[in-house]
Amino acid sequence: MTDLATSLTQGLLLDVHSTGALSWGDVHVAQKVAHLFGEGDQTVQLALALAVRALRAGSTCLDLSAIDQTTLDTDEESVGVPVELLPESQAWLASICASPMVTVGAEGGGDRPLRLVGRLLYLERYWQEESVVADELVARFGRSPEPVSVAALAAARAELLGDDPDLDQAAAAIVPALTGVTVVAGGPGTGKTHTLARLLGVLWRTLPTPPLVALAAPTGKAAVRMQEALADALAELPPDLAAPLDQLEATTIHRLLGWVPESRNRFRHGRTNPLPHDVVVVDEASMVNVTLMARLLEALRPTARLVLIGDPDQLAPVEAGAVLADIVEAAEPGRHHRVSLAGVGLPDSGPVVRLRHNYRSVRTIAELAAAVLSGDADLALHLAGSAAEGVTFAATVEETDLRARVTASGLAMVAAARTGRVAEALTLLDEHRLLCAHRRGPYGVALWSRQVEEWLAGELDDFDPTLAWYAGRPLLVTQNSPDLGLYNGDTGVVVNHDGLLRAHFARGRRVHTVSPFLLEGVQTIHAMTVHKAQGSQFNRVTVVLPPPDSPLLTQELLYTAITRARQQVTLIGSEESLRKAVRQKARRASGLRDRL
């Protein structure tokens, strides 16, 4: 394919593009905008092109003070910004400040495409989005909702949280009654949904009238799982609470806001037409990008309570911004509004509450995840190689029982599916999952899915994975199909019912069934990316680590992969890859955490 950038004249943009750090699209945007504003300085055009590229890599801005540490990642490669080609720092900054394309400082403007705040260079739109999020959060952190009786809170704690509860969970359940924004942060197995049920119960018991509550998540899959998990947790509450709360229906944030067709970011609800709800709860909030969070905050009534629930340590959204992580990592979010919990026998709290205790995973898995988050590569290697219960580390596939494990569970699933045993087939589907960082290449999902199919075909004479549909085919939905009740990320299995094939998808205590012949956006799921596995858990997980030079080999990816496992995690790769993943945090430039 011809590189359109060959039309570039000799100069800085062509030189940087030639290194792979900029795509033709980045360069084209920079040239076109510069022409409109009469900016002929290629050093300023380069700054714009890099800001566009940084946005596509997930940052809301370009950090000029850390340009030498900036890598521009894609699924298959990582390209560092060619520092040797960049202008001298002070001269470059002066050129940017003097440009007709740039608004300098946090005040005023808005009619130029770029904004420089300190050493952070934004596309103006994303400065505005980040400003909405920062301003709304700060205002809501410091805004106390209508008063709640301390006696009523104490009674609700005694009724719903018991005599000796997890103190973090207790605080997370009480704080939303006393503040405008609450963040409940915790990894898998720390009781986020358990806490949510009690949080809603506390609000129901203490507010003057039962609140109008909205449950939302960033994706359809996450909304379905939120509803399923909450239904189980509500069963533990008193019947007079469980009954009305069980009527709540989770939806996507887009649907809650009233997405306007043919527009990415326009909604019916906003500042002039706010949502009617008293309480809005967002699950899997780590997946919410800065633009969607801005629209949600704008749509809340001034007195509404917002509860954000999620794991700030897992992989960030595909689009720009990592709002939940920024809130949690801020030095002291909501520092002007501490919540006194003395009346309910708990320590005072800020609006961010961390759930720390893992009740679900094997202890060694929890310890390994903690070592990864602390950046302690030596401890992570020690735990991974200790042969302790729950964790295995091997350099190659041949040193593991991977083939035996996937063929045994695969053959059992095929046998169950061929004989119509739906529940058993779905249980076996989630017994083990093979996770990869990449979609393609020698360490990617495509290759490993084919490998598993070859292993199964070698063990079962009449197994033919080339058929479009067959009993035992594991499925991953890759596009939303609301009319079928299916969403991107859903997993299921095809089952034979007396010669009729049906696709079944687990929905908590029930099963969702559709004809496979109606499905379009699906793929076979003998392996899946770590990103697709977010929000799911499996009894056993095998993680194929790519080589150390992979751009996706980060602390967030490794942590997310490890915490998908309840009982056993097997890591396959080199010690160097494991060390690299533990030590390398995904860098997303943002000014949000410093503004809270």
Side-chain angles (χ1 to χ4, degrees), residues 280-303:
V280 175
V281 181
V282 177
D283 196 18
E284 295 289 356
S286 64
M287 298 167 62
V288 182
N289 62 66
V290 69
T291 297
L292 188 57
M293 187 64 77
R295 300 292 82 77
L296 175 62
L297 287 164
E298 286 177 330
L300 296 178
R301 293 188 298 111
T303 57

Side-chain angles (χ1 to χ4, degrees), residues 49-109:
L50 288 172
V52 172
R53 183 67 180 88
L55 183 68
R56 291 199 293 112
S59 295
T60 56
C61 57
L62 177 69
D63 188 349
L64 295 169
S65 66
I67 199 77
D68 60 327
Q69 303 169 31
T70 302
T71 56
L72 305 172
D73 300 340
T74 67
D75 182 45
E76 304 299 337
E77 63 178 346
S78 180
V79 181
V81 174
V83 179
E84 68 279 1
L85 295 178
L86 300 181
E88 188 275 325
S89 176
Q90 292 303 318
W92 195 19
L93 195 63
S95 297
I96 293 170
C97 288
S99 173
M101 293 197 300
V102 181
T103 299
V104 179
E107 304 301 325

